[in-house]
């Protein structure tokens, strides 16, 4: 079973000669019969992505608010997120295994680290791009700093923040295909079970692409709902 | 003729197109019910000073002046004179380093900044509308902070949009969907939302094209006649200052007060060379914008009706200031200048030398009346009252006499600044009663 040997190549098809499967081809019939194999890896992938982006967002948000208040925090934290992102992903997964063991936790730690470069930067930029006169008017009308942040700056930063979430999500879906190196399963593990079988690679890879697109559209839809004012142009 | 008059009233650039005592425009009974009673505060700067650390010169240096409740005080001066800094010290957007600012005898330094600012209307040049909120929500910001209930906020928003002449459909639109002039109106409405006793306005019409700026200025003056807020208005434009201000504080570099006076006082008796330069070489002409035809001594002319005995007419001509009789109809409305040929018989015949053009109205601003004379290439013209009856004759000579500055009041030296209480007569004569 593939679950027992996550890193080993494993045959998932019949080897009888002369068939589409035996020739590693793209076999619609086989795909139709074997779709259920992909449900569980897909769900694992969804969980990895949602958990990583969610936790990553919480961390990046807290750091960005800190950087917004204290200017000097911004540069070093920003640099750190860049450095994290340069670590090769396979290396990150493998390096973490001795510390946190094989499993979902290890994968999520690495994936969260990779989201920071997009999330932290976009939240910080979104907040600092709010026009000075808008903030001045807000303060001048008697909003406290906290009210300025939550009622003016954050709502206006939503487009940039969600743009960061979109990139982070798509990137995480992509990187999570390597999460099986940390023993976290996912669609990558499914690809690796039979990497020479075209049908398998196409279905598992295709699902990863569809998943990324679906997440992207969801966030985009959320953004449009959350920012009706952005579509309002001069009549 | 009547039509062009109406246009003049609206087009009036620097004059107070709307007399200060105009009655409130009709609003719906509903909005009358929710309108809080107009209130205004007295604002006093007491040697207010702002010094930035590490800078030798103060940004605002010992500024002392009092703005009476319900008046517009314009802070004017060249860039870098500290006028905006002075304004922002009032709502503690900038902290005072020395001295004090009192709002209704209470120091602003004793107030929590956010709470203080909610009581002070704030409108800035860039307007700073919140792009993510509808017009209605923008206007409702301060009422919401103050915890008003929904119905009260809704009624107030509707009332304010009406007050600043925005159509009802505007309420649900976003700032990006508005023209510059509309945004500016929303900015003013938002600043007025909680009916603050004091308004701070930093070049509120600065980013608007000249035609719309003029319209907004006139609208604001009309609005102010109704709401009578105390207003601190910052501008670098002396013409705007003269037009908008009940009192004008001219600041010079280093944030020092050069003169604090009414517009007329400022133009007639600039305190020193700096003020004189700043108000401009044409200050005599600028004063024309401050007066109406009814404010000056017109010439009298004989009014003669067709069919009147010639002897009677000649007697009236002898008594008048000028020997040119005006032919009037049965209602006293001038028809034209009567020609000598009209006196040929026993009774006056309607023989006109020229028609009664241009026709100046008593409520016209002197500057516009002068422009009419020049355009029509005449030296004098009949003046009529609101009923169209002859009220006198305006001439270039009368206007130039009006501009003459009595020598005893002329500048005695650069030390003439703040008008002392006893000297205040000239101020209140020009500024209509609050």
């Amino acid at each position: 079973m593939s679950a027992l040997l996550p890193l080993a190549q494993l045959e998932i098809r019949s080897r009888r000669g002369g068939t589409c499967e035996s020739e590693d081809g793209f076999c619609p019939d086989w795909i139709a019969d074997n779709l259920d194999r992909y449900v569980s890896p897909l769900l694992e992938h969804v969980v990895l992505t949602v958990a990583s982006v969610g936790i990553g967002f919480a961390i990046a948000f807290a750091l960005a608010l800190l950087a917004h208040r204290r200017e000097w925090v911004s540069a070093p934290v920003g640099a750190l997120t860049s450095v994290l992102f340069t670590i090769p992903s396979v290396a990150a997964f493998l390096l973490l295994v001795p510390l946190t063991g094989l499993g979902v936790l290890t994968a999520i730690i690495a994936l969260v680290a990779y989201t920071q470069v997009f999330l932290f930067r976009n939240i910080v930029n979104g907040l600092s791009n709010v026009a000075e006169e808008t903030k001045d008017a807000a303060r001048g009308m008697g909003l406290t700093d906290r009210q300025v942040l939550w009622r003016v700056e954050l709502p206006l930063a939503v487009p940039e923040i969600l743009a960061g979430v979109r990139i982070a999500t798509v990137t995480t879906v992509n990187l999570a295909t390597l999460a099986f190196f940390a023993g976290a399963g996912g669609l990558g593990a499914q690809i690796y079970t039979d990497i020479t079988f075209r049908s398998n690679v196409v279905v598992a890879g295709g699902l990863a692409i569809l998943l990324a697109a679906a997440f992207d559209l969801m966030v985009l839809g959320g953004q449009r709902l959350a920012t009706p004012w952005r579509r309002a142009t001069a009549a | 003729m009547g039509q062009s008059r109406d246009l003049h009233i609206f087009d009036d650039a620097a004059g107070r197109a709307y007399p200060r005592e105009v009655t409130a425009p009709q609003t719906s009974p509903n909005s009358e019910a929710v309108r809080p009673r107009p209130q205004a505060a007295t604002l006093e700067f007491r040697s207010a000073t702002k010094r930035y650390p590490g800078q030798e010169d103060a940004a605002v240096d010992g500024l002392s002046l009092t703005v009476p409740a319900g008046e517009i005080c314009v802070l004017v001066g060249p860039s870098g004179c500290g006028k905006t800094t002075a304004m922002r010290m009032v709502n503690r957007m900038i902290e005072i380093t020395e001295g004090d600012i009192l709002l209704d005898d209470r120091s602003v330094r004793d107030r929590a900044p956010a709470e203080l600012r909610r009581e002070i209307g704030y409108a800035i040049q860039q307007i700073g509308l919140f792009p993510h909120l509808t017009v209605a929500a923008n206007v409702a910001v301060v009422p919401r902070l103050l915890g008003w209930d929904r119905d009260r906020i809704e009624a107030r928003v509707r009332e304010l949009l009406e007050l600043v002449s925005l159509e009802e459909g505007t309420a649900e639109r976003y700032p990006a969907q508005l023209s510059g002039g509309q945004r500016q109106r929303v900015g003013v409405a938002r600043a007025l939302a909680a009916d603050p006793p004091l308004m701070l306005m930093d070049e509120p019409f600065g980013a608007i094209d000249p035609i719309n700026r003029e319209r907004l200025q006139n609208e604001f003056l009309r609005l102010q006649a109704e709401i009578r807020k105390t207003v601190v208005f910052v501008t670098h434009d002396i013409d705007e200052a003269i037009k908008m201000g009940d009192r004008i504080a001219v600041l010079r570099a280093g944030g020092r007060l050069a003169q604090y006076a009414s517009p007329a006082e400022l133009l007639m008796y600039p305190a020193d060379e700096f003020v004189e330069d700043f108000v401009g070489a044409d200050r005599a002409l600028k004063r024309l914008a401050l007066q109406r035809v009814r404010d000056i001594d017109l010439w009298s002319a004989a009014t003669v009706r067709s069919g009147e005995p010639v002897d009677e007419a000649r007697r009236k001509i002898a008594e008048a200031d000028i020997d040119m009789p005006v032919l009037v109809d049965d209602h006293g409305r001038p028809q034209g200048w009567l020609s000598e040929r009209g006196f040929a018989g026993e009774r006056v015949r309607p023989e006109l030398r020229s028609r009664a053009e241009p026709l100046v109205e008593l409520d016209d601003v002197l500057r516009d009346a002068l422009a009419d004379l020049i355009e029509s290439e005449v030296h004098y013209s009949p003046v009529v009252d609101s009923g169209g009856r002859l009220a006198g004759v305006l001439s270039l000579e009368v206007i130039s006499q009006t501009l003459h500055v009595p020598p005893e009041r002329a500048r005695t030296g650069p030390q003439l600044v703040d008008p002392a209480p006893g000297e205040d007569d000239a101020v209140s004569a020009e500024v209509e009663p609050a």
Side-chain angles (χ1 to χ4, degrees), chain B residues 45 56 84 86 111 149 153 222 237-238 262 332 364 375 405:
Chain B
F45 287 80
E56 201 171 304
T84 297
R111 311 282 306 275
D149 65 56
I153 291 176
R222 192 184 50 197
D237 176 358
I238 185 66
S262 73
D364 282 353
E375 256 167 52
V405 178

Side-chain angles (χ1 to χ4, degrees), chain B residues 25-74:
Chain B
Q26 284 298 308
T27 47
S28 66
N30 177 31
S31 66
E32 286 297 332
V34 294
R35 171 170 299 163
R37 204 162 334 126
Q39 41 164 344
T42 304
L43 178 68
E44 186 183 353
F45 287 80
R46 273 192 195 164
S47 310
T49 299
K50 177 65 191 182
R51 223 176 276 280
Y52 286 102
Q55 279 180 20
E56 201 171 304
D57 293 329
V60 174
D61 196 358
L63 182 64
S64 292
L65 57 85
T66 301
V67 187
E71 291 200 0
I72 299 179
C73 166
V74 179

Side-chain angles (χ1 to χ4, degrees), chain A residues 127 130 148-159 226-227 229, chain B residues 132:
Chain A
L127 289 174
V130 174
V148 172
L149 177 68
W150 287 94
R151 299 192 191 189
V152 178
E153 291 176 309
L154 280 171
L156 287 174
V158 161
T227 57
W229 51 278
Chain B
H132 62 301

Side-chain angles (χ1 to χ4, degrees), chain A residues 133-144 147 151-153 155-156 228-229 232-235, chain B residues 88 91 93 114 117-118 120 122 124 126-132 141-142 145 173-174 176-177 190:
Chain A
E133 68 260 23
T134 309
K135 290 186 273 189
D136 184 76
R139 276 195 301 271
M141 285 192 296
L143 277 77
T144 60
Q147 286 166 333
R151 299 192 191 189
V152 178
E153 291 176 309
L156 287 174
W229 51 278
T233 47
Chain B
R88 291 168 70 89
N91 66 350
M93 292 293 279
R117 290 171 194 158
R118 287 169 199 180
I120 298 176
Y122 189 64
I124 52 177
Q126 310 84 347
I127 316 172
L129 292 183
F130 301 140
H132 62 301
V141 166
V142 177
L145 289 175
R173 301 172 83 179
Y174 289 99
Q177 295 169 297
R190 185 173 70 169

